[in-house]
Amino acid sequence: MTVPLMRSPAKPGAPAPSADARRVSVALHDVSMHFGEKTVLKGVELEVVAGQFVALVGPSGAGKSTLLRLINGSHKPSSGSLAVLGVDPATCGRGALQRLRTRVGFVFQQFGLVGRLSAMENVLMGALGSLRLPRYGIASYPRELRERAVAHLERVGLLDQRYQRCDTLSGGQQQRVAIARTLMQEAELVLADEPVASLDPNASVSVLQTLKKLSAEDGFTVICSLHQVELAMAVSDRVVAVRDGSFVLDAPTADTAEAQIRAVYAQAEQD
Ligand SMILES: Nc1ncnc2c1ncn2[C@@H]1O[C@H](COP(=O)(O)OP(=O)(O)OP(=O)(O)O)[C@@H](O)[C@H]1O
Ligand SMILES: [Mg+2]
């Protein structure tokens, strides 16, 4: 297949980024998050440069999903400031938040696909943010988009399954469809919340390696929460470990020992 895989340089309506904003995908400064009396994030600082693959690790309840929800604008921080692709999702208007969301892809443990639709249609839905009208059925999408969807499915290894209903695909295949949908979206930032939690070990490795490869090839940033320490070590450029709402480790993966991450989990068991 020789369909070009060019990523458009900027989406219509995307804010013109400053030189710094182009390099920094996500910046959080002194961000805290409370739910009622409970403090879930405690003054965290984070700067993620474009193209980096960050593994977010840490015990259950540490605040990883909350952090990802802050970044996607689902939660507003109780205090502190954040910038996501140069936009503050907590203070920008609804239109700006919608435009920002067309630039941010999501991959969840439960895939988030429409099961009765084919892989191809689910991938095409990634382009809906850039289309004016809703679409019904593959044929209602412009040919150029259909060709791109096929190319993306080929990149994630699902060319032969492109017309198969998603609810008949394996978990690993469904997660690949979700990844292809973010490619279709031309997401500049992909947030993945335990994307391999429901997959077997082989499928987990293979899905994460695919995500890593695509991120390296296309230059999009990934922030991925994971509990599998060895997988986090294998695919990430940087490890951020969260415990009880604080970052207790933030280092290049190459400079991090598996034991350091395991210690974060072991400490939590003792608490
Ligand atoms: N909407 C909410 N209202 C109240 N408390 C919440 C809400 N969302 C999360 N919490 C609490 O915040 C804490 C952190 O939750 P979070 O889901 O971020 O943890 P996590 O690190 O993603 O855990 P896991 O690894 O189990 O997914 C938990 O104590 C949780 O109960
Ligand atoms: Mg979580």
Side-chain angles (χ1 to χ4, degrees):
M1 169 111 0
T2 53
V3 179
L5 287 167
M6 287 174 56
R7 298 171 69 75
S8 49
K11 294 210 170 164
S18 68
D20 275 343
R22 257 199 308 275
R23 289 219 60 239
V24 177
S25 285
V26 175
L28 281 80
H29 176 58
D30 200 16
V31 166
S32 293
M33 182 77 201
H34 316 291
F35 290 111
E37 301 278 282
K38 191 172 173 58
T39 302
V40 174
L41 289 173
K42 300 173 181 167
V44 296
E45 302 275 342
L46 182 70
E47 191 169 281
V48 180
V49 295
Q52 202 165 44
F53 193 122
V54 178
L56 207 54
V57 297
S60 209
K64 303 179 298 298
S65 296
T66 303
L67 183 67
L68 292 172
R69 286 193 205 109
L70 282 170
I71 295 170
N72 80 19
S74 300
H75 289 323
K76 288 186 195 307
S78 306
S79 60
S81 61
L82 69 156
V84 179
L85 303 175
V87 177
D88 180 349
T91 58
C92 69
R94 187 186 290 208
L97 185 59
Q98 267 174 7
R99 284 193 295 279
L100 176 62
R101 284 186 169 151
T102 67
R103 304 166 64 204
V104 180
F106 304 100
V107 181
F108 302 106
Q109 178 181 348
Q110 295 307 329
F111 318 126
L113 303 172
V114 182
R116 67 187 160 76
L117 298 182
S118 66
M120 178 87 169
E121 270 180 279
N122 273 279
V123 172
L124 281 164
M125 286 166 82
L128 283 178
S130 60
L131 294 170
R132 283 183 184 280
L133 297 170
R135 306 280 157 159
Y136 303 98
I138 293 171
S140 67
Y141 286 83
R143 181 194 174 115
E144 179 260 335
L145 292 184
R146 283 184 268 144
E147 287 176 352
R148 276 183 41 212
V150 171
H152 293 320
L153 280 159
E154 185 176 32
R155 290 183 85 196
V156 300
L158 289 179
L159 188 60
D160 292 346
Q161 290 82 8
R162 63 191 182 279
Y163 298 122
Q164 198 170 323
R165 273 175 66 126
C166 275
D167 54 12
T168 65
L169 295 171
S170 72
Q173 289 171 331
Q174 289 190 55
Q175 204 56 294
R176 286 167 183 280
V177 175
I179 292 169
R181 188 181 52 192
T182 71
L183 296 178
M184 192 72 203
Q185 191 185 339
E186 295 189 311
E188 295 157 62
L189 167 66
V190 171
L191 303 174
D193 198 358
E194 297 194 41
V196 297
S198 17
L199 307 184
D200 73 35
N202 287 339
S204 299
V205 175
S206 153
V207 162
L208 282 177
Q209 279 176 343
T210 300
L211 184 60
K212 167 76 176 171
K213 177 172 172 282
L214 295 169
S215 147
E217 286 173 2
D218 291 9
F220 59 83
T221 310
V222 180
I223 305 180
C224 177
S225 78
L226 283 171
H227 282 302
Q228 298 89 336
V229 176
E230 61 295 342
L231 283 181
M233 297 292 292
V235 296
S236 67
D237 303 313
R238 172 178 174 186
V239 181
V240 175
V242 195
R243 189 176 65 218
D244 196 21
S246 299
F247 293 172
V248 292
L249 173 74
D250 179 359
T253 310
D255 299 342
T256 306
E258 215 173 289
Q260 284 174 278
I261 307 178
R262 295 204 185 279
V264 175
Y265 283 90
Q267 178 67 47
E269 275 172 25
Q270 287 167 22
D271 290 344

